[in-house]
Amino acid sequence: MITTTDAQVMATLKQVVSEQPEYTYSAPEYMVVDSDAPASCFYVHLDKDGKAVSAGCGVGAVLHRLGVPLEEMRRYEGQTSLQMMKHVVSGVTREAANKLRIFQAEQDSQRTWGESYVRATGETI
C-alpha cells in the first residue's frame, strides 16, 4: 500500500490524460474473455503468458505511476476502482476517489481519456 494525497492523485490523472487525451481505452484482444461485452477494462495488462507488463486502464496508469506495483493492482481485477483503491492507497479522500471512479466509468463507456477527465472533474486539459 502506498500513501498519497488527493492533490498527487489528481495531478497524476491530469498528467496521464494530457499525454493521450484522444486515447480510447481497449484491452489486448487476448485478454478479453467475452467478446460481446461492451468493454473489458483491466488495471493491468498481461502478456500472452500471463505476466504483468504494463498498467492498463486510466486508473491503473495513475496508480502505477504513483508507485502501486502492477502485481498488487492485479490482485483486485474485477473490483471497482473504489474497492481496489481501499487496498492499494491511503491518504485519498472519498471525493478524489469518486472522481477516479467517474473517470473509470466514462472511460469504460468508450469515451476518450480527455472527455472522461472533463466529465469526472469538470476541468479541461
Side-chain angles (χ1 to χ4, degrees), residues 80-92:
T80 68
S81 59
L82 289 176
Q83 292 168 329
M84 188 262 294
M85 286 180 63
K86 289 179 185 178
H87 299 286
V88 301
V89 297
S90 65
V92 178

Side-chain angles (χ1 to χ4, degrees), residues 15-36:
Q15 181 183 37
V16 166
V17 171
S18 293
E19 293 168 6
Q20 299 184 83
E22 297 303 317
Y23 178 70
T24 301
Y25 175 82
S26 63
E29 286 183 22
Y30 57 85
M31 287 183 64
V32 178
V33 177
D34 181 0
S35 61
D36 293 329

Side-chain angles (χ1 to χ4, degrees), residues 52-114:
V53 292
S54 68
C57 66
V59 170
V62 168
L63 295 178
H64 185 58
R65 197 169 287 188
L66 286 168
V68 178
L70 296 175
E71 287 299 331
E72 188 171 354
M73 283 191 293
R74 184 177 176 192
R75 293 192 328 224
Y76 303 104
E77 289 290 6
Q79 294 186 7
T80 68
S81 59
L82 289 176
Q83 292 168 329
M84 188 262 294
M85 286 180 63
K86 289 179 185 178
H87 299 286
V88 301
V89 297
S90 65
V92 178
T93 67
R94 179 77 174 189
E95 181 180 351
N98 197 46
K99 287 180 182 180
L100 283 181
R101 179 194 61 78
I102 295 167
F103 175 83
Q104 184 80 18
E106 296 297 326
Q107 170 205 263
D108 292 350
S109 295
Q110 297 299 292
R111 289 190 173 79
T112 66
W113 278 4

